Amino acid sequence: MERKLIESRPVVLKLGGSAITEKKGEEPNPRSDVISRAAAEIIKARVKNLVIVHGAGSFGHPMAAEFMLKDGFREEGQKMGLAITHNLVSVLNGLVMDALLVDDFPAVSVAPSSCVVSSDGRIKRFEDQPLKMLLRMGFTPVLYGDVVMDERIGFTVVSGDQLAAVLAMKLDARKIIMAGDTDGVYDGPPKNPGAKPYARLTLADLKKIEDKLGASAGSDVTGGMLGKITELKPALEAGIPVMVVNATKANSVYRALVGEKVEGTLIEKA
Amino acid sequence: MERKLIESRPVVLKLGGSAITEKKGEEPNPRSDVISRAAAEIIKARVKNLVIVHGAGSFGHPMAAEFMLKDGFREEGQKMGLAITHNLVSVLNGLVMDALLVDDFPAVSVAPSSCVVSSDGRIKRFEDQPLKMLLRMGFTPVLYGDVVMDERIGFTVVSGDQLAAVLAMKLDARKIIMAGDTDGVYDGPPKNPGAKPYARLTLADLKKIEDKLGASAGSDVTGGMLGKITELKPALEAGIPVMVVNATKANSVYRALVGEKVEGTLIEKA
C-alpha cells in the first residue's frame, strides 16, 4: 500500500552533528560553511522523495550529557536541561532550514519531540502521518536528534541515527546516506597514517570488524562510525543500503544523492 | 481515565498573534515587550498543568494570505509559501520559547505541523501522546498557529484559536484564557467612544449578539473577537469557561492565570 502511495522510494539523508556543528568549547557552534554547502548540494540534487535528518552536535550533546537526559528522569533539575536542549536543537534546525529555504526548495521541519514517544530509549510510537503527507505533497521533511518523552523512563534523547534508521524502514527507503565528517568507515583509527576507509562492507564484514575490535574498543576507534552503523543494522538487514560519505568535503552529499561515484563506504546486506 | 492521569485539570492560555506581533508593514515584527512581559507573568503564576498556544500574527498571516494557504493546494507555487510560513511561525515560537526559558520554567515547543492532520481545515487527527506526557512530567507545552497537512485539500492553516479549543476539549481543561490585544468582547466597535467590553456573557448572549450583528457584519465589528469565540463554542458548550483578557496590559495574563479579578470578558455556557 505504502509503496503505491509514495511513488518513488525515498532517500534518507542524515547530516551528522559532527559535520554541521563544531565540538570545540562549551558553546553550541554551527559550522555555517558546511550547512550552507550541504544545503546547496541538496537543493541542486533535487531528489524526489527526500527525508533529511540532522544530528544535534554541540547544540545537543553537551547539555544532554550534563543533565544525563539519555538515562531518563531522575530529579527535577533535569527538566530545565531538557527544555533548553530542545530549544537549542530547534535553533540548529532553524539554521538548517534557513539554508534550505533560500532557493525554492520546499523543506518543512518535523520535530521528533512533537510526534515520537520512546520506550527505554527506543522509538516506540511515531506519528508519521504528517511526515508522509508532506512527502506525498512534494515537501522535504527535515527531522533532527531531539529529546522525546519515554513511556518507561520519562524522557530520553533520540539520536538522528536512530531516527534515520526507523524512518528508512517505515518509508521503505531506497538508501540511507550518512553524511558525517569522515571519508567513510575506516579500517583503524582514522588519524593513523595507514588507515583508510573501506570502499564496501557487508553485514558479515561488519560483524567481523566488531569481533576484531571487541566489546571494549568503543566506537571511536573507527572514527565514531561503528556505533552509528549498529543503529542502522535493522535497516541494512531489511535490505536498505547505507552510504557513508563526508559532508565536510565539497560535492560528496550531492554525488551520494544523485548516485554518482563518491568517496566513502557503501554498506549492504550482502 | 484521563482526569486521573492529569491530576489537576489544565489551563489553556492562548496568546493572540495580534498581541505578540506588530501588524504594521509587510515584515514579520515581534512585540518583544509584550512577549517578555507575558512570559514573565506566566513564569510568576506557576500554574500546574498549563498549555500555551500562541498565534502567528505578522509571522503567519501575510504569507498565508499571499499564497492562499488556508484554501489548500491549488498550484506548485504555494509550496514555498507554505515552507516559508512554517519557518516564520517557528521563528516566532523560538522568540516565545526564549522568553519562557530564561527563568527555570521548563517549556517545550510542540509543532502542530508535526502532529496534526486536518480535513477541510478542521483538525481531524492530533497525536497528543507527546503533549500529554510532557504535561504529566511537569513541562509546559507551547503550540502555535501553523500550517498543517490536510487529507482533503492537501494543506491548510490551523489557527491558534482552533488549537486552543481542541486542546481544551481533549485535555478537559478547567478554563481557556484568550489573551489578545483588547480588553474583552466589546458591545460595539472598540474604537467607538461609548463602546465597552462585556463583563460576562453566556452562550445565549453570544447568540443574541451574533443575530444582532447579522451575517454581513464580520468579526472585526466586535474587535475581531466574535470570530475567535465562534471557534471556541464547542469548548464553551462542553462547559469550559473562556476568559478574554488583554495581554498588552500589565498583569492581565498573570491575574487570569491565578484566578484574580481582572479586566476582561468571562464567557460561560450559562
Side-chain angles (χ1 to χ4, degrees):
Chain A
M1 279 294 282
E2 214 58 64
R3 279 210 206 186
K4 252 191 173 173
L5 291 169
I6 298 172
E7 287 163 18
S8 67
R9 291 170 65 194
V11 174
V12 174
L13 169 65
K14 163 80 199 303
L15 291 174
S18 58
I20 61 170
T21 73
E22 295 277 4
K23 275 182 180 171
K24 289 168 200 162
E26 290 294 301
E27 291 297 304
N29 276 310
R31 287 177 75 172
S32 304
D33 56 333
V34 177
I35 294 173
S36 301
R37 199 187 50 234
E41 293 180 21
I42 291 164
I43 295 167
K44 188 178 156 204
R46 292 266 156 207
V47 172
K48 212 176 141 83
N49 274 328
L50 176 66
V51 179
I52 299 171
V53 182
H54 65 77
S58 60
F59 286 71
H61 295 297
M63 285 289 281
E66 184 185 339
F67 289 93
M68 296 189 292
L69 299 180
K70 200 160 178 52
D71 301 336
F73 175 74
R74 293 176 184 202
E75 48 92 18
E76 289 296 316
Q78 291 175 293
K79 290 183 180 172
M80 270 318 287
L82 182 141
I84 292 170
T85 301
H86 173 64
N87 198 40
L88 284 173
V89 297
S90 304
V91 168
L92 177 60
N93 177 251
L95 298 177
V96 174
M97 300 312 297
D98 287 346
L100 287 168
L101 291 172
V102 292
D103 197 11
D104 196 27
F105 188 80
V108 176
S109 65
V110 173
S113 47
S114 301
C115 56
V116 170
V117 170
S118 64
S119 180
D120 254 337
R122 308 305 304 169
I123 293 170
K124 168 101 181 270
R125 189 181 163 119
F126 194 145
E127 166 57 296
D128 59 8
Q129 280 307 308
L131 185 147
K132 285 181 174 169
M133 291 170 82
L134 281 165
L135 266 183
R136 282 202 287 274
M137 289 292 295
F139 294 98
T140 296
V142 183
L143 299 93
Y144 47 95
D146 198 0
V147 290
V148 302
M149 293 295 106
D150 188 290
E151 58 180 36
R152 293 182 76 95
I153 56 174
F155 49 68
T156 190
V157 175
V158 164
S159 71
D161 298 320
Q162 187 183 161
L163 284 163
V166 168
L167 275 170
M169 287 182 290
K170 265 182 176 287
L171 301 171
D172 189 23
R174 66 178 193 268
K175 65 180 167 188
I176 299 172
I177 299 167
M178 298 290 287
D181 65 344
T182 67
D183 291 336
V185 182
Y186 276 71
D187 58 5
K191 281 173 187 169
N192 280 12
K196 57 182 198 302
Y198 294 101
R200 188 178 175 276
L201 290 171
T202 63
L203 268 177
D205 295 332
L206 276 180
K207 181 82 176 67
K208 274 183 228 161
I209 298 171
E210 284 169 345
D211 289 347
K212 200 175 76 179
L213 293 172
S216 66
S219 59
D220 278 345
V221 168
T222 55
M225 267 300 160
L226 210 59
K228 289 173 182 298
I229 289 156
T230 300
E231 197 64 88
L232 298 171
K233 269 187 184 168
L236 284 163
E237 274 158 13
I240 302 168
V242 174
M243 188 78 212
V244 181
V245 299
N246 194 337
T248 70
K249 287 197 176 169
N251 291 317
S252 288
V253 167
Y254 173 77
R255 286 186 188 127
L257 282 171
V258 299
E260 282 180 13
K261 195 172 161 55
V262 56
E263 189 178 13
T265 305
L266 174 66
I267 315 172
E268 290 177 296
K269 188 176 182 181
Chain B
M1 278 296 282
E2 213 60 62
R3 279 210 207 188
K4 252 190 173 174
L5 291 169
I6 298 172
E7 287 163 16
S8 67
R9 293 170 64 195
V11 173
V12 174
L13 169 65
K14 163 81 199 303
L15 290 173
S18 58
I20 63 170
T21 74
E22 294 276 5
K23 277 183 179 171
K24 288 167 198 161
E26 290 294 301
E27 292 298 304
N29 276 308
R31 288 177 75 172
S32 304
D33 56 333
V34 176
I35 293 174
S36 302
R37 198 185 51 232
E41 293 180 19
I42 291 164
I43 295 167
K44 187 179 157 204
R46 294 265 156 207
V47 173
K48 213 177 141 82
N49 275 326
L50 175 66
V51 179
I52 300 171
V53 182
H54 66 76
S58 59
F59 286 70
H61 294 298
M63 286 288 282
E66 183 184 339
F67 289 92
M68 297 190 293
L69 300 180
K70 202 163 177 50
D71 301 336
F73 175 73
R74 293 178 184 200
E75 48 91 20
E76 289 297 316
Q78 290 175 293
K79 289 184 182 172
M80 270 317 288
L82 181 141
I84 293 170
T85 301
H86 173 64
N87 199 40
L88 285 173
V89 296
S90 304
V91 168
L92 177 60
N93 177 251
L95 298 176
V96 173
M97 299 313 296
D98 288 346
L100 287 169
L101 291 171
V102 291
D103 196 11
D104 195 27
F105 188 80
V108 175
S109 64
V110 173
S113 46
S114 301
C115 57
V116 169
V117 170
S118 63
S119 180
D120 254 337
R122 308 305 303 169
I123 293 171
K124 168 99 180 274
R125 189 181 163 118
F126 193 145
E127 167 56 296
D128 58 8
Q129 279 307 309
L131 184 147
K132 285 180 174 170
M133 290 171 83
L134 281 165
L135 266 183
R136 282 201 289 272
M137 289 291 295
F139 294 98
T140 297
V142 183
L143 298 94
Y144 46 96
D146 198 358
V147 289
V148 301
M149 293 295 106
D150 188 291
E151 60 180 34
R152 293 181 76 93
I153 58 173
F155 49 67
T156 190
V157 174
V158 164
S159 70
D161 299 321
Q162 188 184 160
L163 284 163
V166 168
L167 276 170
M169 286 183 290
K170 264 182 176 287
L171 302 172
D172 189 24
R174 65 178 194 267
K175 66 180 167 189
I176 299 172
I177 299 166
M178 299 289 288
D181 65 342
T182 66
D183 292 334
V185 182
Y186 276 70
D187 58 4
K191 280 173 186 169
N192 280 11
K196 57 181 198 304
Y198 294 101
R200 188 175 175 278
L201 290 171
T202 63
L203 268 177
D205 294 332
L206 275 180
K207 181 81 176 67
K208 274 183 225 159
I209 298 171
E210 284 169 346
D211 289 348
K212 201 175 78 179
L213 293 170
S216 66
S219 59
D220 277 346
V221 168
T222 55
M225 268 299 161
L226 210 57
K228 289 172 182 301
I229 289 156
T230 301
E231 198 63 88
L232 297 171
K233 268 188 185 168
L236 283 163
E237 274 158 13
I240 301 168
V242 174
M243 188 78 212
V244 182
V245 300
N246 193 337
T248 69
K249 287 196 176 170
N251 291 316
S252 287
V253 167
Y254 173 77
R255 285 186 188 128
L257 282 170
V258 299
E260 283 180 11
K261 194 171 163 54
V262 56
E263 189 177 14
T265 305
L266 173 66
I267 315 173
E268 291 178 295
K269 190 176 181 181

